[in-house]
Amino acid sequence: MSLLVPDTGLLFWMVLSFGVVVFILAKYGFPVITRMVDERKALIDRSLEEARQAHEQLAAIQAQSEEMLRRAREEQGRLLTEALETKKQILGDAREAAEKQTRIQLEQARKEINDMKEKALREVRSEIAALSVDIAEKVLRGKLGNEEEQKAVIERLLDERVIYKS
């Protein structure tokens, strides 16, 4: 039964060696272990804080990038709107210039037509006057006595004059 009940001397030396080991560990081992655990805990806390800050910075950067994208889209929309307005204005100006040019050309064409018409009328009047003078001269020279002969001569002269001009 000596295995179950140790001797008092052995028990004393076991308690004394256990006490010395606990004292040495308490004096030199536990502070080192505690310090290392505290340092590790501080490192983990710092890492967690840095991770939280990095996450906040990432969220801020994402917000900034979304804001920049929103502004870029607004600017793009504004530029497209301005481009469309400029296009409409340019097309309107071009249409107005074309209409103005067309009116000018149409007015010039009307003026030329009127000038040509006036010239043609003057020429026709001149021709009629010349023809009338020729007819009158020939009628007087022919000393025609009756009206029928005068009409026949006038008709013949008119036919000659028309054939001559053709």
Side-chain angles (χ1 to χ4, degrees), residues 13-117:
W13 287 115
M14 280 177 46
V15 169
L16 184 64
S17 33
F18 180 74
V20 169
V21 168
V22 168
F23 176 74
I24 291 173
L25 282 175
K27 180 80 173 165
Y28 299 107
F30 290 146
V32 171
I33 292 171
T34 306
R35 190 182 78 242
M36 290 177 74
V37 168
D38 289 342
E39 288 175 0
R40 178 72 177 161
K41 183 179 180 275
L43 177 67
I44 291 172
D45 289 343
R46 256 192 333 268
S47 295
L48 286 174
E49 182 62 25
E50 288 174 359
R52 185 188 61 77
Q53 288 175 354
H55 181 68
E56 289 174 359
Q57 287 176 350
L58 179 61
I61 289 172
Q62 285 177 339
Q64 287 176 349
S65 67
E66 288 175 4
E67 178 65 20
M68 289 174 66
L69 281 173
R70 184 189 62 77
R71 277 191 252 141
R73 286 187 186 119
E74 287 176 359
E75 182 69 16
Q76 179 185 17
R78 186 184 62 78
L79 289 175
L80 285 174
T81 303
E82 286 179 7
L84 287 174
E85 289 174 3
T86 303
K87 174 186 167 189
K88 287 178 183 177
Q89 182 180 5
I90 289 171
L91 288 176
D93 292 346
R95 187 175 296 119
E96 285 179 21
E99 288 173 358
K100 183 178 179 182
Q101 186 66 25
T102 302
R103 282 193 301 270
I104 290 170
Q105 288 176 350
L106 186 60
E107 191 61 37
Q108 287 176 348
R110 284 182 184 150
K111 187 176 179 182
E112 287 178 14
I113 289 171
N114 284 337
D115 291 346
M116 292 171 73
K117 180 179 168 184

Side-chain angles (χ1 to χ4, degrees), residues 131 155-166:
L131 183 62
E155 289 291 327
R156 184 178 48 82
L157 291 174
L158 282 174
D159 288 340
E160 288 176 9
R161 185 69 170 184
V162 170
I163 292 172
Y164 175 70
K165 284 293 182 177
S166 304

